[in-house]
Amino acid sequence: SIGDYADICTAVGILGDLAPRTRDLLVARGERLAAMLLASAVTRAGRRAQLVDAIDFVTTDGHFGCASPLIAESAATARKTLQPLLRAKTVPVVPGFIGRAPDGGVATLGRGGSDLTATLLGRAFKAPMVTLWKDVPGILTSDPKLVPDTRLIPQLHHQEAAEVAHYG
C-alpha cells in the first residue's frame, strides 16, 4: 500500500542509508504503477487487459540493483502464466525491469532491464521479432551521447539482444 512505501521512505530518511534491496522495492513501485496505468488505458480503449506482475514469472539470481534473470525457468513460468490470458484474448500488461529474488523479494534487473524483460518474453513465446521503442534508431554499439562514432547493430539474435540490454 502507499502507506507502506511512505513508511519505508521515512525509515530511509532516518537511517540515512538506502540499501540495494530497499532501493529495488521502491524503484519497482514506479514500474508497477506505470503498468497499472497502461492496463487501465488498454481496457478503456475497448480491449481486455490484465496486469501481470513480473515477479510472478521472472525469477532472478537475487543480486539487488542488477539481478540476472534465470532465463529457462523464467521463460517456462512466463508461458504457464501468460498463455491462458492470451488464449482468452486478454492483453497481459507486464512491468519490465523487475523480477523475484530467491527469497521472494523484488529485485531490479538494472540498466536495460525493461528491454531484457521484453526479450525474455519474446524468447519464451518464440517470437520472430521483438520491437523496442526508443529515442535511438535501434540497438547501438554504445551511448551516442558519449561516443561520437556509435554505430547501429543491424540485426541481433534475441539472446544477443538480451545480453546487450542487460549490460547496457
Side-chain angles (χ1 to χ4, degrees), residues 41-78:
V42 170
T43 299
R44 288 194 62 147
R47 297 288 309 266
R48 289 173 47 177
Q50 182 175 326
L51 177 68
V52 181
D53 200 339
I55 68 167
D56 292 343
F57 61 87
V58 178
T59 305
T60 75
D61 61 8
H63 289 106
F64 296 102
C66 194
S68 293
L70 305 178
I71 303 239
E73 182 180 335
S74 296
T77 308

mmCIF file of all heavy atoms in Angstrom, residues 41-78:
data_model
loop_
_atom_site.group_PDB
_atom_site.id
_atom_site.type_symbol
_atom_site.label_atom_id
_atom_site.label_comp_id
_atom_site.label_asym_id
_atom_site.label_seq_id
_atom_site.Cartn_x
_atom_site.Cartn_y
_atom_site.Cartn_z
ATOM 1 N N ALA A 41 -5.591 1.961 -19.415
ATOM 2 C CA ALA A 41 -5.774 2.647 -20.698
ATOM 3 C C ALA A 41 -6.184 1.660 -21.795
ATOM 4 O O ALA A 41 -7.060 1.965 -22.617
ATOM 5 C CB ALA A 41 -4.498 3.380 -21.095
ATOM 6 N N VAL A 42 -5.581 0.491 -21.806
ATOM 7 C CA VAL A 42 -5.933 -0.529 -22.801
ATOM 8 C C VAL A 42 -7.389 -0.956 -22.607
ATOM 9 O O VAL A 42 -8.154 -1.086 -23.575
ATOM 10 C CB VAL A 42 -4.968 -1.739 -22.720
ATOM 11 C CG1 VAL A 42 -5.461 -2.892 -23.578
ATOM 12 C CG2 VAL A 42 -3.559 -1.326 -23.138
ATOM 13 N N THR A 43 -7.788 -1.132 -21.373
ATOM 14 C CA THR A 43 -9.172 -1.510 -21.067
ATOM 15 C C THR A 43 -10.147 -0.407 -21.492
ATOM 16 O O THR A 43 -11.173 -0.686 -22.124
ATOM 17 C CB THR A 43 -9.333 -1.812 -19.563
ATOM 18 O OG1 THR A 43 -8.469 -2.902 -19.227
ATOM 19 C CG2 THR A 43 -10.763 -2.174 -19.213
ATOM 20 N N ARG A 44 -9.790 0.834 -21.178
ATOM 21 C CA ARG A 44 -10.658 1.960 -21.563
ATOM 22 C C ARG A 44 -10.756 2.109 -23.071
ATOM 23 O O ARG A 44 -11.744 2.631 -23.594
ATOM 24 C CB ARG A 44 -10.156 3.255 -20.947
ATOM 25 C CG ARG A 44 -10.419 3.268 -19.433
ATOM 26 C CD ARG A 44 -10.245 4.616 -18.895
ATOM 27 N NE ARG A 44 -11.250 5.476 -19.545
ATOM 28 C CZ ARG A 44 -11.826 6.496 -18.978
ATOM 29 N NH1 ARG A 44 -11.509 6.810 -17.753
ATOM 30 N NH2 ARG A 44 -12.710 7.235 -19.610
ATOM 31 N N ALA A 45 -9.719 1.637 -23.785
ATOM 32 C CA ALA A 45 -9.732 1.704 -25.250
ATOM 33 C C ALA A 45 -10.557 0.558 -25.860
ATOM 34 O O ALA A 45 -10.661 0.453 -27.080
ATOM 35 C CB ALA A 45 -8.303 1.664 -25.785
ATOM 36 N N GLY A 46 -11.125 -0.296 -25.000
ATOM 37 C CA GLY A 46 -12.011 -1.335 -25.507
ATOM 38 C C GLY A 46 -11.419 -2.727 -25.613
ATOM 39 O O GLY A 46 -12.067 -3.634 -26.135
ATOM 40 N N ARG A 47 -10.209 -2.918 -25.165
ATOM 41 C CA ARG A 47 -9.580 -4.246 -25.201
ATOM 42 C C ARG A 47 -9.534 -4.810 -23.791
ATOM 43 O O ARG A 47 -9.401 -4.068 -22.819
ATOM 44 C CB ARG A 47 -8.144 -4.151 -25.732
ATOM 45 C CG ARG A 47 -7.982 -3.661 -27.152
ATOM 46 C CD ARG A 47 -8.420 -4.657 -28.218
ATOM 47 N NE ARG A 47 -7.845 -5.970 -28.070
ATOM 48 C CZ ARG A 47 -6.755 -6.415 -28.665
ATOM 49 N NH1 ARG A 47 -6.072 -5.622 -29.447
ATOM 50 N NH2 ARG A 47 -6.338 -7.640 -28.471
ATOM 51 N N ARG A 48 -9.588 -6.124 -23.697
ATOM 52 C CA ARG A 48 -9.426 -6.765 -22.394
ATOM 53 C C ARG A 48 -7.942 -6.772 -22.045
ATOM 54 O O ARG A 48 -7.111 -7.174 -22.848
ATOM 55 C CB ARG A 48 -9.957 -8.192 -22.441
ATOM 56 C CG ARG A 48 -11.467 -8.225 -22.529
ATOM 57 C CD ARG A 48 -12.028 -9.591 -22.749
ATOM 58 N NE ARG A 48 -11.439 -10.569 -21.844
ATOM 59 C CZ ARG A 48 -11.800 -11.829 -21.784
ATOM 60 N NH1 ARG A 48 -12.750 -12.276 -22.571
ATOM 61 N NH2 ARG A 48 -11.220 -12.657 -20.945
ATOM 62 N N ALA A 49 -7.619 -6.313 -20.860
ATOM 63 C CA ALA A 49 -6.229 -6.267 -20.411
ATOM 64 C C ALA A 49 -6.166 -6.699 -18.957
ATOM 65 O O ALA A 49 -7.132 -6.531 -18.211
ATOM 66 C CB ALA A 49 -5.656 -4.861 -20.564
ATOM 67 N N GLN A 50 -5.042 -7.259 -18.593
ATOM 68 C CA GLN A 50 -4.839 -7.642 -17.198
ATOM 69 C C GLN A 50 -3.384 -7.390 -16.816
ATOM 70 O O GLN A 50 -2.464 -7.775 -17.526
ATOM 71 C CB GLN A 50 -5.165 -9.116 -16.989
ATOM 72 C CG GLN A 50 -5.024 -9.543 -15.534
ATOM 73 C CD GLN A 50 -5.469 -10.969 -15.326
ATOM 74 O OE1 GLN A 50 -6.387 -11.459 -15.965
ATOM 75 N NE2 GLN A 50 -4.801 -11.645 -14.409
ATOM 76 N N LEU A 51 -3.220 -6.746 -15.673
ATOM 77 C CA LEU A 51 -1.888 -6.532 -15.128
ATOM 78 C C LEU A 51 -1.358 -7.864 -14.602
ATOM 79 O O LEU A 51 -2.052 -8.562 -13.874
ATOM 80 C CB LEU A 51 -1.948 -5.504 -14.001
ATOM 81 C CG LEU A 51 -0.631 -5.226 -13.287
ATOM 82 C CD1 LEU A 51 0.345 -4.519 -14.215
ATOM 83 C CD2 LEU A 51 -0.885 -4.382 -12.050
ATOM 84 N N VAL A 52 -0.145 -8.211 -15.007
ATOM 85 C CA VAL A 52 0.522 -9.416 -14.503
ATOM 86 C C VAL A 52 1.882 -8.964 -13.984
ATOM 87 O O VAL A 52 2.717 -8.486 -14.755
ATOM 88 C CB VAL A 52 0.706 -10.478 -15.606
ATOM 89 C CG1 VAL A 52 1.383 -11.721 -15.040
ATOM 90 C CG2 VAL A 52 -0.625 -10.835 -16.254
ATOM 91 N N ASP A 53 2.099 -9.097 -12.698
ATOM 92 C CA ASP A 53 3.361 -8.643 -12.118
ATOM 93 C C ASP A 53 4.505 -9.531 -12.594
ATOM 94 O O ASP A 53 4.397 -10.764 -12.598
ATOM 95 C CB ASP A 53 3.279 -8.661 -10.590
ATOM 96 C CG ASP A 53 4.326 -7.785 -9.935
ATOM 97 O OD1 ASP A 53 5.350 -7.465 -10.582
ATOM 98 O OD2 ASP A 53 4.128 -7.416 -8.777
ATOM 99 N N ALA A 54 5.593 -8.913 -12.996
ATOM 100 C CA ALA A 54 6.746 -9.662 -13.493
ATOM 101 C C ALA A 54 7.316 -10.619 -12.449
ATOM 102 O O ALA A 54 7.889 -11.651 -12.801
ATOM 103 C CB ALA A 54 7.836 -8.702 -13.981
ATOM 104 N N ILE A 55 7.138 -10.307 -11.176
ATOM 105 C CA ILE A 55 7.678 -11.221 -10.161
ATOM 106 C C ILE A 55 6.917 -12.538 -10.131
ATOM 107 O O ILE A 55 7.364 -13.494 -9.510
ATOM 108 C CB ILE A 55 7.766 -10.602 -8.749
ATOM 109 C CG1 ILE A 55 6.402 -10.342 -8.151
ATOM 110 C CG2 ILE A 55 8.627 -9.360 -8.752
ATOM 111 C CD1 ILE A 55 6.452 -10.045 -6.664
ATOM 112 N N ASP A 56 5.774 -12.602 -10.836
ATOM 113 C CA ASP A 56 5.035 -13.857 -10.933
ATOM 114 C C ASP A 56 5.727 -14.857 -11.853
ATOM 115 O O ASP A 56 5.410 -16.041 -11.813
ATOM 116 C CB ASP A 56 3.606 -13.617 -11.433
ATOM 117 C CG ASP A 56 2.752 -12.870 -10.426
ATOM 118 O OD1 ASP A 56 3.129 -12.818 -9.235
ATOM 119 O OD2 ASP A 56 1.704 -12.330 -10.835
ATOM 120 N N PHE A 57 6.648 -14.373 -12.698
ATOM 121 C CA PHE A 57 7.320 -15.324 -13.593
ATOM 122 C C PHE A 57 8.798 -15.040 -13.850
ATOM 123 O O PHE A 57 9.517 -15.924 -14.298
ATOM 124 C CB PHE A 57 6.570 -15.476 -14.920
ATOM 125 C CG PHE A 57 6.468 -14.207 -15.716
ATOM 126 C CD1 PHE A 57 7.472 -13.835 -16.584
ATOM 127 C CD2 PHE A 57 5.353 -13.407 -15.598
ATOM 128 C CE1 PHE A 57 7.378 -12.675 -17.314
ATOM 129 C CE2 PHE A 57 5.236 -12.241 -16.330
ATOM 130 C CZ PHE A 57 6.259 -11.877 -17.192
ATOM 131 N N VAL A 58 9.283 -13.847 -13.606
ATOM 132 C CA VAL A 58 10.712 -13.567 -13.819
ATOM 133 C C VAL A 58 11.461 -13.913 -12.531
ATOM 134 O O VAL A 58 11.347 -13.228 -11.524
ATOM 135 C CB VAL A 58 10.972 -12.093 -14.208
ATOM 136 C CG1 VAL A 58 12.475 -11.846 -14.368
ATOM 137 C CG2 VAL A 58 10.241 -11.739 -15.496
ATOM 138 N N THR A 59 12.196 -14.996 -12.578
ATOM 139 C CA THR A 59 12.993 -15.441 -11.440
ATOM 140 C C THR A 59 14.419 -14.952 -11.653
ATOM 141 O O THR A 59 14.956 -15.068 -12.754
ATOM 142 C CB THR A 59 12.981 -16.978 -11.350
ATOM 143 O OG1 THR A 59 11.618 -17.403 -11.305
ATOM 144 C CG2 THR A 59 13.700 -17.470 -10.121
ATOM 145 N N THR A 60 15.029 -14.397 -10.600
ATOM 146 C CA THR A 60 16.374 -13.844 -10.735
ATOM 147 C C THR A 60 17.347 -14.502 -9.762
ATOM 148 O O THR A 60 16.950 -15.257 -8.878
ATOM 149 C CB THR A 60 16.390 -12.327 -10.473
ATOM 150 O OG1 THR A 60 16.267 -12.096 -9.070
ATOM 151 C CG2 THR A 60 15.293 -11.606 -11.237
ATOM 152 N N ASP A 61 18.609 -14.125 -9.936
ATOM 153 C CA ASP A 61 19.657 -14.605 -9.031
ATOM 154 C C ASP A 61 19.691 -13.822 -7.719
ATOM 155 O O ASP A 61 20.432 -14.166 -6.805
ATOM 156 C CB ASP A 61 21.022 -14.550 -9.708
ATOM 157 C CG ASP A 61 21.431 -13.137 -10.122
ATOM 158 O OD1 ASP A 61 20.750 -12.150 -9.767
ATOM 159 O OD2 ASP A 61 22.452 -13.022 -10.817
ATOM 160 N N GLY A 62 18.889 -12.752 -7.628
ATOM 161 C CA GLY A 62 18.775 -12.005 -6.383
ATOM 162 C C GLY A 62 19.846 -10.970 -6.124
ATOM 163 O O GLY A 62 19.945 -10.456 -5.022
ATOM 164 N N HIS A 63 20.639 -10.612 -7.125
ATOM 165 C CA HIS A 63 21.622 -9.543 -6.950
ATOM 166 C C HIS A 63 20.892 -8.208 -7.078
ATOM 167 O O HIS A 63 20.687 -7.706 -8.179
ATOM 168 C CB HIS A 63 22.753 -9.655 -7.982
ATOM 169 C CG HIS A 63 23.652 -10.808 -7.723
ATOM 170 N ND1 HIS A 63 23.627 -11.943 -8.489
ATOM 171 C CD2 HIS A 63 24.567 -11.010 -6.755
ATOM 172 C CE1 HIS A 63 24.509 -12.796 -8.010
ATOM 173 N NE2 HIS A 63 25.083 -12.259 -6.950
ATOM 174 N N PHE A 64 20.483 -7.666 -5.954
ATOM 175 C CA PHE A 64 19.676 -6.449 -5.948
ATOM 176 C C PHE A 64 20.397 -5.312 -6.667
ATOM 177 O O PHE A 64 21.586 -5.121 -6.514
ATOM 178 C CB PHE A 64 19.324 -6.060 -4.509
ATOM 179 C CG PHE A 64 18.461 -7.094 -3.836
ATOM 180 C CD1 PHE A 64 19.004 -7.987 -2.940
ATOM 181 C CD2 PHE A 64 17.120 -7.190 -4.153
ATOM 182 C CE1 PHE A 64 18.214 -8.955 -2.336
ATOM 183 C CE2 PHE A 64 16.319 -8.161 -3.559
ATOM 184 C CZ PHE A 64 16.871 -9.040 -2.650
ATOM 185 N N GLY A 65 19.646 -4.604 -7.496
ATOM 186 C CA GLY A 65 20.188 -3.491 -8.262
ATOM 187 C C GLY A 65 20.645 -3.878 -9.650
ATOM 188 O O GLY A 65 20.662 -3.062 -10.548
ATOM 189 N N CYS A 66 20.979 -5.122 -9.851
ATOM 190 C CA CYS A 66 21.436 -5.593 -11.173
ATOM 191 C C CYS A 66 21.290 -7.105 -11.250
ATOM 192 O O CYS A 66 22.233 -7.819 -11.552
ATOM 193 C CB CYS A 66 22.873 -5.164 -11.418
ATOM 194 S SG CYS A 66 23.356 -5.345 -13.144
ATOM 195 N N ALA A 67 20.096 -7.586 -10.964
ATOM 196 C CA ALA A 67 19.851 -9.026 -10.963
ATOM 197 C C ALA A 67 19.849 -9.578 -12.384
ATOM 198 O O ALA A 67 19.509 -8.881 -13.336
ATOM 199 C CB ALA A 67 18.520 -9.322 -10.283
ATOM 200 N N SER A 68 20.210 -10.826 -12.503
ATOM 201 C CA SER A 68 20.145 -11.540 -13.784
ATOM 202 C C SER A 68 18.971 -12.509 -13.725
ATOM 203 O O SER A 68 18.825 -13.241 -12.740
ATOM 204 C CB SER A 68 21.424 -12.324 -14.039
ATOM 205 O OG SER A 68 22.505 -11.456 -14.229
ATOM 206 N N PRO A 69 18.154 -12.516 -14.780
ATOM 207 C CA PRO A 69 17.047 -13.468 -14.774
ATOM 208 C C PRO A 69 17.561 -14.884 -15.043
ATOM 209 O O PRO A 69 18.546 -15.070 -15.755
ATOM 210 C CB PRO A 69 16.155 -12.986 -15.916
ATOM 211 C CG PRO A 69 17.070 -12.267 -16.832
ATOM 212 C CD PRO A 69 18.149 -11.678 -15.974
ATOM 213 N N LEU A 70 16.909 -15.842 -14.453
ATOM 214 C CA LEU A 70 17.171 -17.244 -14.761
ATOM 215 C C LEU A 70 16.299 -17.530 -15.981
ATOM 216 O O LEU A 70 15.090 -17.734 -15.879
ATOM 217 C CB LEU A 70 16.823 -18.130 -13.573
ATOM 218 C CG LEU A 70 17.518 -17.731 -12.256
ATOM 219 C CD1 LEU A 70 17.085 -18.643 -11.111
ATOM 220 C CD2 LEU A 70 19.030 -17.742 -12.409
ATOM 221 N N ILE A 71 16.927 -17.493 -17.151
ATOM 222 C CA ILE A 71 16.202 -17.429 -18.420
ATOM 223 C C ILE A 71 15.276 -18.620 -18.650
ATOM 224 O O ILE A 71 14.097 -18.434 -18.927
ATOM 225 C CB ILE A 71 17.196 -17.261 -19.592
ATOM 226 C CG1 ILE A 71 18.022 -16.025 -19.355
ATOM 227 C CG2 ILE A 71 16.476 -17.274 -20.926
ATOM 228 C CD1 ILE A 71 18.033 -14.929 -20.308
ATOM 229 N N ALA A 72 15.780 -19.835 -18.558
ATOM 230 C CA ALA A 72 14.953 -21.008 -18.855
ATOM 231 C C ALA A 72 13.775 -21.112 -17.888
ATOM 232 O O ALA A 72 12.632 -21.333 -18.301
ATOM 233 C CB ALA A 72 15.800 -22.274 -18.818
ATOM 234 N N GLU A 73 14.049 -20.946 -16.608
ATOM 235 C CA GLU A 73 12.988 -21.023 -15.602
ATOM 236 C C GLU A 73 11.965 -19.918 -15.809
ATOM 237 O O GLU A 73 10.748 -20.150 -15.749
ATOM 238 C CB GLU A 73 13.600 -20.925 -14.213
ATOM 239 C CG GLU A 73 12.604 -21.035 -13.085
ATOM 240 C CD GLU A 73 13.267 -20.942 -11.720
ATOM 241 O OE1 GLU A 73 14.460 -21.254 -11.577
ATOM 242 O OE2 GLU A 73 12.555 -20.531 -10.777
ATOM 243 N N SER A 74 12.432 -18.709 -16.059
ATOM 244 C CA SER A 74 11.526 -17.569 -16.254
ATOM 245 C C SER A 74 10.680 -17.752 -17.512
ATOM 246 O O SER A 74 9.479 -17.463 -17.501
ATOM 247 C CB SER A 74 12.319 -16.267 -16.346
ATOM 248 O OG SER A 74 12.995 -16.004 -15.137
ATOM 249 N N ALA A 75 11.284 -18.246 -18.590
ATOM 250 C CA ALA A 75 10.545 -18.446 -19.842
ATOM 251 C C ALA A 75 9.444 -19.489 -19.664
ATOM 252 O O ALA A 75 8.311 -19.296 -20.113
ATOM 253 C CB ALA A 75 11.499 -18.857 -20.957
ATOM 254 N N ALA A 76 9.763 -20.578 -18.976
ATOM 255 C CA ALA A 76 8.761 -21.625 -18.747
ATOM 256 C C ALA A 76 7.608 -21.099 -17.893
ATOM 257 O O ALA A 76 6.428 -21.342 -18.187
ATOM 258 C CB ALA A 76 9.415 -22.836 -18.089
ATOM 259 N N THR A 77 7.927 -20.361 -16.857
ATOM 260 C CA THR A 77 6.888 -19.812 -15.977
ATOM 261 C C THR A 77 6.080 -18.743 -16.702
ATOM 262 O O THR A 77 4.870 -18.626 -16.497
ATOM 263 C CB THR A 77 7.508 -19.247 -14.685
ATOM 264 O OG1 THR A 77 8.345 -20.247 -14.108
ATOM 265 C CG2 THR A 77 6.440 -18.865 -13.682
ATOM 266 N N ALA A 78 6.733 -17.958 -17.557
ATOM 267 C CA ALA A 78 6.019 -16.932 -18.336
ATOM 268 C C ALA A 78 4.978 -17.591 -19.235
ATOM 269 O O ALA A 78 3.831 -17.125 -19.303
ATOM 270 C CB ALA A 78 6.998 -16.110 -19.170
#
